[in-house]
Every structure is written in structure tokens, then in C-alpha cells.
């Protein structure tokens, strides 16, 4: 019996790619750098926003100073526009409601910076009680380091065997493996199915209903 389900955010609960691309392209243009198609950002995201900026910058411009310059323009713009085009994936709201009705705790572990993670969860899932909503925080290593998963398990008061971690990328699959919890890869997110398969998660799903079936919610 699972008592805690931890979700990644971008590419798992919410399709945020268009807003992430728009904000990064805005920041790049402020310094005269070339922009990218929205689809390219599927492979830029996943390791925190500094890594996103590093990947989006021209190879010869990927310095820590330039990453911080892009960040200085991205954050205020994204804070205003992070919900322009972002939406929950089909079936996600129903899945979260089912989990809540079955008294299974839910939480978020994201590499998105904390402020935006909290805002998006509040905006899109106001009726869901989350045990923890953690994004990228100072002095906490980003995924695939399992520290955030261990922290959420400690808060929730459950055993590791009672936990499921769900995400859409190889980073997420490695996080679940590193944490020693049941790991589910979702195939509707930003990364190709082959990337998930390489980490041999416990389950790969094409839609949220398969997660509900796995957890025997109905």
C-alpha cells in the first residue's frame, strides 16, 4: 500500500514548456543572443534554471557571469508570465483528487526555483492539500540527488516502501533510483520514452489513469 506520491512539476503535472521558452528567449534577446524554438527547450530544462540558461546560451558564451545575467532578466519576466500558456496535463487534476480522497499524501519535488514552484501549484491545484511543495532551494542539491525525496519522506511520516516518485525525465528516474523508492515514468512530458526506459523505472505510463490503476484508486 502506497501512502505518499511525490510528483515532479514541469512535464509531469503541468505543461510549462511554452512559458519557459518565452521567458528564456526574452532574457536572451535582452543581451543580443539568438533564441530557440519552443521544442528545443524540452532538452534544456530539467536540471534547474541555471543549467537551462547555460544550455540556451551560445557555446562560447556559457560563463557563470552570463548565466547570472540571463537569470536577472528571466526571473522577473517569468514570475509575471509563468501561467500564460502553462496548463495541467489531461487527467492530472482528477488523479490528484482521487489520491486526496483515498487519503494518500501528495507532494512536489521540482528543480524549478522555489518561488515559481509554489505559485504554480497554488494557482492550478488550489483544492489539493500537498504535504510538501519543494522546488530548487539554496543549499539543497538539485535532483537527481535524493535529498529532497528523503526530506519529504521525513515530513510525511511514511516508510520508503510506501512512496512513489513520478517524473518525465531521466533526471527524475535517477532521482527515484537514488532514493530507493518506487519510480514511475510518464510518457506525456518533455523527454522521449527511450530516455525513461534507459533507467528501468518500475512502471512507464501513457496517461494518469494508469497511475490510478497501479495505485488501485478506483
Amino acid at each position: 500500500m502506497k501512502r505518499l506520491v511525490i510528483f515532479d512539476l514541469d512535464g509531469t503535472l503541468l505543461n510549462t514548456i511554452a512559458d519557459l521558452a518565452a521567458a528564456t528567449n526574452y532574457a536572451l534577446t535582452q543581451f543580443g543572443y539568438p533564441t530557440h524554438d519552443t521544442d528545443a527547450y524540452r532538452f534544456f530544462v530539467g536540471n534547474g534554471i541555471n543549467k537551462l540558461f547555460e544550455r540556451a546560451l551560445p557555446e562560447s558564451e556559457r560563463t557563470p557571469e552570463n548565466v547570472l545575467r540571463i537569470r536577472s532578466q528571466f526571473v522577473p519576466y517569468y514570475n509575471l508570465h509563468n501561467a500564460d500558456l502553462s496548463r495541467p496535463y489531461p487527467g492530472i487534476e482528477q488523479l490528484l483528487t482521487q489520491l486526496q480522497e483515498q487519503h494518500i499524501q501528495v507532494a512536489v519535488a521540482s528543480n524549478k526555483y522555489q518561488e515559481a514552484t509554489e505559485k504554480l501549484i497554488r494557482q492550478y491545484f488550489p483544492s489539493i492539500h500537498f504535504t510538501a511543495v519543494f522546488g530548487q532551494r539554496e543549499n539543497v542539491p538539485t535532483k537527481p540527488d535524493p535529498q529532497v525525496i528523503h526530506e519529504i519522506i521525513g515530513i510525511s511520516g511514511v516508510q520508503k516502501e510506501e512512496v512513489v516518485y513520478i517524473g518525465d525525465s531521466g533526471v527524475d528516474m535517477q532521482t527515484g533510483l537514488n532514493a530507493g523508492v518506487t519510480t514511475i515514468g510518464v510518457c506525456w512530458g518533455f523527454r522521449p520514452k527511450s530516455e525513461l526506459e534507459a533507467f528501468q523505472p518500475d512502471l512507464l505510463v501513457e496517461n494518469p489513469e494508469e497511475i490510478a490503476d497501479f495505485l488501485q484508486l478506483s
Side-chain angles (χ1 to χ4, degrees):
M1 178 68 184
K2 301 301 183 183
R3 297 174 57 205
L4 169 65
V5 180
I6 306 172
F7 292 91
D8 172 50
L9 179 58
D10 300 280
T12 302
L13 292 177
L14 295 177
N15 186 351
T16 55
I17 201 70
D19 288 330
L20 285 165
T24 309
N25 281 342
Y26 168 82
L28 289 168
T29 60
Q30 300 310 297
F31 299 103
Y33 293 122
T35 59
H36 306 274
D37 292 338
T38 297
D39 217 42
Y41 282 93
R42 295 176 179 276
F43 293 93
F44 293 170
V45 300
N47 297 87
I49 59 172
N50 284 5
K51 183 59 74 171
L52 160 63
F53 306 145
E54 182 184 312
R55 290 166 176 159
L57 281 162
E59 201 165 339
S60 61
E61 298 292 320
R62 293 174 182 173
T63 65
E65 294 77 18
N66 283 340
V67 165
L68 291 177
R69 289 167 76 210
I70 298 299
R71 184 179 178 124
S72 73
Q73 294 295 314
F74 172 96
V75 169
Y77 184 94
Y78 189 68
N79 284 345
L80 290 174
H81 297 281
N82 58 23
D84 288 0
L85 299 169
S86 297
R87 296 291 181 271
Y89 286 100
I92 283 295
E93 290 166 282
Q94 182 183 351
L95 174 62
L96 291 171
T97 299
Q98 285 178 283
L99 288 165
Q100 187 161 271
E101 288 172 349
Q102 297 288 332
H103 306 291
I104 296 172
Q105 296 182 70
V106 293
V108 170
S110 175
N111 277 345
K112 182 188 288 291
Y113 63 101
Q114 182 70 21
E115 182 183 359
T117 301
E118 290 178 343
K119 180 192 170 189
L120 289 169
I121 289 296
R122 278 197 310 270
Q123 175 156 347
Y124 287 106
F125 309 112
S127 65
I128 303 298
H129 171 73
F130 288 85
T131 296
V133 175
F134 287 147
Q136 187 177 356
R137 295 165 292 153
E138 239 182 293
N139 302 317
V140 179
T142 56
K143 299 180 298 182
D145 189 289
Q147 182 173 325
V148 64
I149 304 299
H150 294 151
E151 188 176 348
I152 294 170
I153 291 171
I155 291 167
S156 68
V158 304
Q159 301 301 310
K160 192 166 63 172
E161 297 74 26
E162 299 171 313
V163 179
V164 178
Y165 180 64
I166 301 174
D168 72 305
S169 71
V171 169
D172 294 314
M173 301 304 94
Q174 188 65 60
T175 302
L177 286 171
N178 290 346
V181 299
T182 299
T183 303
I184 297 177
V186 306
C187 299
W188 59 75
F190 299 162
R191 299 300 178 91
K193 186 176 182 179
S194 58
E195 179 176 314
L196 305 175
E197 288 174 329
F199 291 90
Q200 299 181 309
D202 295 285
L203 182 68
L204 284 175
V205 297
E206 300 287 344
N207 56 65
E209 290 78 18
E210 291 179 66
I211 297 173
D213 290 342
F214 176 77
L215 296 172
Q216 301 178 319
L217 299 182
S218 52

